[in-house]
Amino acid sequence: MSRRKHRRGAIRSKVLLTLGFVLLTVGLLAAYTEPASGYELSPYTSTPVPFWACMALSTLASLAVAFDRDRSPHLRTIALFLGVSIFVAIISIPIVRNYHFFGPADSLTHLGWVLDFRTGALQPFDILYPATHVIALLFGEVGGMRLPRAGQLTVVIYFVLYLLFLPLCVAYLSDSDWAVPFGLYAAALFLPVNNVSVFRMMHPTTQAILFFPFVFFVTFRYLRGPSDIEWFGFSASSWSVLLYVAVASLLFVHPQQAANLLVIFVTISVVQTIYRGVGDRLGNYDIATERLAYPPALFLGVLFGLWVPQHSRATGSGSIIIERIIQFVTGSSESPVDGATQRGRSLSDIGGSIEELFVKLFLVTLLFFIVAGLLMLLSYVSRVNWKDVNQRTVIKYLSISFSTLTVIFLMYFLSSVTTQHYRQLGLLAMVASILGTVMLSDGLTVLADRFSTRSVVGVAGPILVVMLLLSTASVYQSPYMYQQSAHITEMELTGYETAIDNRSDEVIFTNIRGGTARYADAVYGRNGSEKMDINRADEPIPDQVFNRGNMTTYYDDPHYLVVLQRDYDREVIVYNGFRFTSRGFDHLDEQPGVSKLISNDSFRLYYIEPTYETTMGDPSDVVSEPRRMTFLAPSAV
């Protein structure tokens, strides 16, 4: 390329990058100036269109410069920084648009634990995985922000770590000058977030999986770097010290993923032992002479053995998994496919299908599994010649470790313990993201050298863009995947707080599908919720009873019925009235014996008085201020 043409290309790239940063700023301002005013069913449709338009154009500008092999490293680095900023902006929508909190169910309990840490009701060592909660507390205390917002910021920090270190892992294993751009592209797909058991919310398992690329990168450097001092195999080099810190950190983020890391370390140690014994015949002298993996394996194993047995939550889950596997092998339990079949029938009833949902959630992941599998196969048969022998060694480690992690996935699947196998699938997707990206970057680089960069980009570019669109559309729960948003409004929490503060201990809460205990955890802390006996809740109200409006004859005792705006949107809009119909919601205020006690934009509380009940008196005596209320004061959280 001539000097003049190179200069023109550089000027064009600078203009693109400048435009990209301007569009990023405009998009963020567009989202920030339209904060959420109530519950939003979908972060995608509720976020202003200019935000998405600006993010799309800015992404194209970033990728165009980052993948331009003729540009200087300086410009490509700026382009990558722009790309990271864009993807962080997309993952930060709940913060930018001022969501009070993001994450129902488990996330509310985790928020309650953070509150317990603040009040001193619990200490970090009292729970199994305190790391994420401690980080959220630090953000809240040091930054002076509300704990729900601190929890959301903590989630984003883990995603930033993932976006930074997955490209570094790919760059360590690939010879291509496209390695880092492809690594960032693969990270932006967020393949581990399957929204079945790995979510974009405060969820320690998810945070542990997102922490893995950092642990992997440090492990790669540890295995290949020389040690300064060694005692019985334990080295005191800077990378080894950092690895031990990272390993301990992962244990406290979530022990389940630390157990997976222990399996990986043990697998690497076994491979090293075998190759040291028969290395001369196999010809892999690089493996036979490198630093051993058993010291970090031993370190993690001892730490795991000291920490996990102290918590009955972990040991109880392990016992259940073993028991379920035995039941499956002996034929005394149902097939794990039965649950999927039942969910498929439910999807069909609301106009969807299990095949459609698979395409939306797992098609891109499946493609990366295939590409990663091809790389693993080639590494096994030594059909790939890497310039650096370190790359070949680490890829073999990851390939064999992938196989052992798959065995664990099958164990979870056969045990049918909730959705644990989808957690394992999230970790496998993270490993496939690394290996698949190495294969893509190296393979497309070879094709570009043989043909031309323009022809390769012209064919592969549109495919990669479609994959990015599919993955971005499935990061957040939304009607697109037949789910409602994880948005939690302040009105929901203040509504529950008022209801619980003024409740009668003799009256039980009931809900639509959900439960009161999780919200009580978020408002009063997990410890406070248990002391208040909020967990003493009845079963969710049956859909037939709700739709027919015969609550007063169905229940023998008085009940509080909580109805959230999210309940209506989920049942009527997302599920098309499959179980709970719009008529049941609309006629609640007209039902005899059902009195509305509290109401705001997101929360309604009703008092159900059985038809034979005559001693309870006026329902306003049970909960104060039965009229419509507006909550302006923030909740205790």
Side-chain angles (χ1 to χ4, degrees):
M1 178 183 294
S2 66
R3 180 176 298 180
R4 177 176 296 179
K5 183 178 289 188
H6 182 79
R7 187 182 300 116
R8 288 179 179 175
I11 294 174
R12 186 165 53 250
S13 297
K14 291 177 182 179
V15 172
L16 278 176
L17 292 177
T18 301
L19 180 61
F21 280 106
V22 171
L23 288 170
L24 172 62
T25 304
V26 172
L28 286 172
L29 287 175
Y32 179 76
T33 53
E34 290 192 27
S37 58
Y39 176 73
E40 296 184 343
L41 183 61
S42 169
Y44 297 104
T45 58
S46 301
T47 301
V49 173
F51 172 85
W52 296 112
C54 289
M55 293 302 111
L57 294 174
S58 185
T59 299
L60 291 177
S62 169
L63 295 180
V65 178
F67 281 93
D68 190 345
R69 304 171 77 184
D70 295 327
R71 296 286 71 80
S72 67
H74 177 68
L75 287 177
R76 296 181 72 186
T77 300
I78 295 175
L80 292 170
F81 175 75
L82 173 60
V84 171
S85 301
I86 294 167
F87 301 133
V88 170
I90 292 174
I91 212 70
S92 302
I93 287 175
I95 295 179
V96 175
R97 301 203 55 244
N98 200 31
Y99 283 15
H100 185 70
F101 190 62
F102 195 81
D106 286 356
S107 294
L108 291 172
T109 297
H110 294 308
L111 180 60
W113 272 328
V114 179
L115 181 59
D116 284 336
F117 288 172
R118 168 181 278 184
T119 61
L122 282 176
Q123 299 301 317
F125 289 136
D126 292 335
I127 67 173
L128 183 61
Y129 30 74
T132 300
H133 311 83
V134 170
I135 295 173
L137 180 61
L138 288 175
F139 280 135
E141 294 295 305
V142 176
M145 62 183 72
R146 295 180 301 181
L147 292 186
R149 193 167 188 83
Q152 294 187 71
L153 182 59
T154 302
V155 171
V156 172
I157 293 300
Y158 278 98
F159 274 101
V160 172
L161 204 65
Y162 180 79
L163 286 169
L164 292 177
F165 279 94
L166 193 140
L168 291 177
C169 289
V170 174
Y172 188 84
L173 300 177
S174 173
D175 294 325
S176 172
D177 55 358
W178 276 343
V180 175
F182 264 115
L184 177 59
Y185 166 85
L189 297 176
F190 300 117
L191 296 185
V193 182
N194 53 47
N195 276 307
V196 180
S197 196
V198 182
F199 310 95
R200 185 253 167 260
M201 61 182 69
M202 196 172 181
H203 189 244
T205 295
T206 301
Q207 277 78 70
I209 294 174
L210 296 176
F211 190 66
F212 244 100
F214 169 71
V215 178
F216 270 164
F217 181 74
V218 177
T219 301
F220 299 163
R221 299 303 301 265
Y222 163 82
L223 290 174
R224 305 309 304 173
S227 60
D228 299 330
I229 306 174
E230 288 196 7
W231 297 282
F232 305 104
F234 286 86
S235 62
S237 69
S238 56
W239 285 110
S240 63
V241 172
L242 184 58
L243 176 60
Y244 295 137
V245 172
V247 164
S249 300
L250 182 64
L251 175 65
F252 295 121
V253 176
H254 203 287
Q256 182 181 15
Q257 302 309 326
N260 283 320
L261 180 62
L262 180 58
V263 169
I264 292 173
F265 283 158
V266 170
T267 301
I268 295 174
S269 299
V270 171
V271 172
Q272 289 178 329
T273 301
I274 293 175
Y275 273 77
R276 281 175 178 263
V278 295
D280 289 339
R281 281 178 288 168
L282 296 178
N284 284 273
Y285 305 105
D286 48 295
I287 292 181
T289 58
E290 67 181 9
R291 180 183 291 178
L292 293 171
Y294 81 82
L298 183 60
F299 173 78
L300 178 56
V302 171
L303 199 61
F304 191 93
L306 292 174
W307 174 252
V308 173
Q310 300 181 41
H311 302 272
S312 58
R313 180 184 181 92
T315 54
S317 299
S319 301
I320 293 174
I321 292 173
I322 295 174
E323 180 182 348
R324 293 284 182 85
I325 292 175
I326 294 174
Q327 290 176 353
F328 176 81
V329 172
T330 57
S332 58
S333 67
E334 64 177 13
S335 169
V337 180
D338 294 341
T341 303
Q342 182 178 357
R343 286 188 287 272
R345 287 195 295 265
S346 300
L347 279 172
S348 178
D349 291 335
I350 63 176
S353 68
I354 197 71
E355 295 81 10
E356 174 196 359
L357 192 60
F358 176 84
V359 169
K360 291 178 176 179
L361 295 182
F362 297 110
L363 177 60
V364 178
T365 304
L366 176 62
L367 294 176
F368 264 79
F369 275 134
I370 294 173
V371 176
L374 180 59
L375 178 68
M376 288 186 278
L377 178 63
L378 293 176
S379 70
Y380 286 141
V381 298
S382 299
R383 293 292 184 180
V384 180
N385 294 319
W386 284 276
K387 297 177 183 178
D388 188 349
V389 72
N390 297 352
Q391 299 167 351
R392 179 180 63 183
T393 304
V394 174
I395 287 175
K396 284 195 174 186
Y397 288 155
L398 286 180
S399 299
I400 299 173
S401 297
F402 188 91
S403 302
T404 57
L405 293 176
T406 302
V407 172
I408 298 175
F409 165 79
L410 293 175
M411 293 175 60
Y412 284 133
F413 180 73
L414 296 178
S415 68
S416 300
V417 177
T418 60
T419 55
Q420 291 289 332
H421 49 287
Y422 285 105
R423 295 186 180 186
Q424 193 71 9
L425 185 63
L427 179 60
L428 289 171
M430 189 277 300
V431 179
S433 296
I434 296 175
L435 295 177
T437 306
V438 172
M439 186 66 186
L440 283 175
S441 59
D442 286 354
L444 292 179
T445 299
V446 171
L447 292 176
D449 292 338
R450 176 170 298 183
F451 300 102
S452 69
T453 300
R454 178 172 297 182
S455 59
V456 170
V457 171
V459 175
I463 298 175
L464 297 178
V465 168
V466 171
M467 293 170 65
L468 185 60
L469 290 174
L470 282 173
S471 295
T472 302
S474 62
V475 171
Y476 291 98
Q477 294 173 307
S478 70
Y480 171 77
M481 61 184 69
Y482 302 101
Q483 295 179 354
Q484 85 275 24
S485 166
H487 181 196
I488 301 294
T489 67
E490 188 174 7
M491 292 295 97
E492 290 179 48
L493 293 178
T494 53
Y496 268 108
E497 184 177 17
T498 301
I500 294 172
D501 283 345
N502 296 278
R503 78 193 188 284
S504 169
D505 291 335
E506 300 176 358
V507 182
I508 297 175
F509 283 91
T510 189
N511 307 72
I512 298 174
R513 295 185 189 258
T516 303
R518 298 291 196 178
Y519 285 90
D521 291 344
V523 174
Y524 302 99
R526 174 70 170 173
N527 189 60
S529 172
E530 291 179 341
K531 288 182 177 179
M532 298 172 70
D533 199 22
I534 301 302
N535 290 301
R536 187 182 63 88
D538 203 355
E539 294 294 325
I541 187 170
D543 53 331
Q544 302 92 336
V545 174
F546 181 84
N547 295 333
R548 294 171 184 171
N550 61 338
M551 287 85 80
T552 58
T553 57
Y554 176 79
Y555 287 114
D556 295 330
D557 301 304
H559 278 68
Y560 295 130
L561 171 62
V562 175
V563 179
L564 305 176
Q565 183 61 43
R566 64 188 300 113
D567 294 330
Y568 179 88
D569 289 350
R570 178 187 63 242
E571 303 299 334
V572 177
I573 300 177
V574 180
Y575 296 160
N576 297 321
F578 170 58
R579 285 185 56 187
F580 296 87
T581 64
S582 60
R583 184 178 183 277
F585 286 97
D586 296 339
H587 290 186
L588 264 178
D589 294 338
E590 304 170 4
Q591 298 297 329
V594 179
S595 307
K596 183 189 293 183
L597 305 179
I598 298 174
S599 177
N600 64 40
D601 290 340
S602 300
F603 179 96
R604 284 182 288 167
L605 179 71
Y606 293 89
Y607 176 77
I608 302 174
E609 184 176 7
T611 52
Y612 71 88
E613 186 69 42
T614 59
T615 60
M616 291 300 296
D618 190 270
S620 62
D621 296 333
V622 183
V623 175
S624 61
E625 298 185 48
R627 301 294 180 183
R628 184 177 183 86
M629 306 170 67
T630 302
F631 298 93
L632 299 178
S635 69
V637 181

